[in-house]
Amino acid sequence: SFLFRRRGSILFQRKGSHFPADRGQSAPTFPTYTFKENQVGVFPITITASNEDGETKKELEIEVVENMPYKVVFPAPSYEQSVSTRYTFVGRPVFLRPLLDYFENPQYRWSVDGKPVEGETGRVYKFTPSFAGEYRITVSVTEMQNGISVESAVTVVCVNGSEASGYRAASGASSAYSNRVYEYTPAPGQFINETNTGGFTGSESTREAAVEYASKRIAKQSYVSLGSFGGYIIVGFDHSIQNKGGYDFAIQGNAFDSSNEPGIVWVMQDVNGNGLPDDEWYELRGSETGKPTTIQDYEVTYFRPASDGSHTYWIDNLGNTGWVDFNAYHTQPYYYPLWITADSYTLYGTRLLPRNSQSPSTGYWSNSPYDWGYADNCGSDMLTGDSYDGSGQKNGFKISNAMYHDGSPVNLQYIDFIKVQNGALAKSGVLGEISTEVFSFQDLNMNK
């Protein structure tokens, strides 16, 4: 069902479709139909599509309400986590940004432990604790069109310790490669659920099974696809990776000259010391950071396909819509991850301007590289990989490029967890969606 505020409208558009009925009345048989209603209530809609092969119908409901069910939440560190508590050290800021549903013209008011913060009226609040302890940060968001306000709160824990105290030194038994996959949450894509080259069994219906799949693939340096924009994988090591100023770790992909699928890299310290990636993620600066064409706070919601063999539709936080193509080369029932039980899910991150193009003379598609700073990309930071298919291709990454939300450096001494997230939302004809692939994660400092 769809939910709309009174006097709102909804536009349906499906190529070759006709929309015959609304409240018992026939609508024009055009490919688009705009629903408008001035009364509160629930209204059934029947969509009939027909061609020379036959006819099919789809029924749905549109609920018209006086006011939208506004929602304000602080995101957890990852999709699979439910707790949004933030952890930091004394003097290290956290940047708080709530996620909103249905607001059109929001106004923000922030408070710390019940005391209003004067002058803070933006969506992002930089909070810097001056002493150890717990802080309750509250934001009140008001929709200016009707004066309705919604509050949401998040706990910030400033741990009683220093950054250096959490460092885990490598031992003689330590491995230079990651030893655990903590989470695998891809976006829909042509290699997701695929039992041929993708390596799935077709029975990965739980989060644990998905992690096991990714773990086995990474252990033998086989590719793991992250699907379309926002899909990610989180790994850890049996020791902390030290910041030595140069290339501290490497990520293996399969990029080559005309096939680059940029993965944005994030790093995390185990600030709370519980051995889990539930602390603060920091994006590593890349060549596209800060450019007008780069969208920092980008969100895409993917919807479960209605039937096997269907495209996977999405909508972003800018109002754009589209779909991940179902193609003839990957014929698993659908590309929506089997282990995600919700009918939709939202992924958040930084989006890069696509660099794909089609040759007007040959019709071939090319995904051009970015200068530096991304996995699965033939940038200037590529350490190995010069074969035509990208076999063994690796990029080097510097912990010193870790940055806060405002682009300023974090100056981390070490990291414990790495996340790679697809930064592109685009598709290249018969090649399908741009989807980052990763094979392995390596601590380069162990070889120094």
Side-chain angles (χ1 to χ4, degrees), residues 25-148:
Q25 300 175 355
S26 295
T29 56
F30 298 131
T32 62
Y33 169 51
T34 301
F35 173 87
K36 299 186 72 174
E37 179 56 57
N38 292 323
Q39 301 296 319
V40 173
V42 177
F43 303 91
I45 301 289
T46 301
I47 306 171
T48 303
S50 60
N51 57 25
E52 62 274 10
D53 296 323
E55 179 180 283
T56 186
K57 292 185 178 182
K58 176 69 175 180
E59 296 183 351
L60 56 97
E61 291 182 341
I62 299 176
E63 182 180 3
V64 180
V65 297
E66 187 67 36
N67 292 296
M68 301 300 279
Y70 300 110
K71 186 177 180 182
V72 180
V73 297
F74 287 95
S78 70
Y79 177 77
E80 295 289 353
Q81 299 180 40
S82 58
V83 179
S84 58
T85 301
R86 312 285 286 270
Y87 298 90
T88 189
F89 295 109
V90 171
R92 178 184 288 182
V94 292
F95 288 77
L96 304 171
R97 178 182 179 271
L99 303 177
L100 310 180
D101 281 348
Y102 299 114
F103 285 88
E104 295 180 10
N105 187 19
Q107 184 180 61
Y108 303 88
R109 290 181 292 112
W110 293 87
S111 64
V112 178
D113 293 333
K115 298 179 181 179
V117 181
E118 298 297 332
E120 286 293 342
T121 58
R123 183 171 181 177
V124 179
Y125 173 39
K126 177 184 177 182
F127 172 69
T128 306
S130 55
F131 54 86
E134 291 191 5
Y135 301 80
R136 182 175 176 82
I137 315 296
T138 302
V139 65
S140 177
V141 185
T142 301
E143 174 53 60
M144 298 305 294
Q145 292 187 4
N146 53 29
I148 294 177

Side-chain angles (χ1 to χ4, degrees), residues 179-212:
N179 71 331
R180 180 175 176 182
V181 174
Y182 286 86
E183 185 175 335
Y184 174 48
T185 302
Q190 59 190 320
F191 294 106
I192 309 305
N193 310 328
E194 207 249 24
T195 59
N196 187 13
T197 57
F200 285 89
T201 65
S203 62
E204 289 82 4
S205 59
T206 66
R207 171 190 177 278
E208 292 76 17
V211 168
E212 182 180 4

Side-chain angles (χ1 to χ4, degrees), residues 280-295:
E280 199 75 7
W281 285 113
Y282 301 106
E283 182 179 346
L284 294 191
R285 181 179 299 277
S287 59
E288 308 309 293
T289 300
K291 290 186 177 181
T293 52
T294 298
I295 305 173

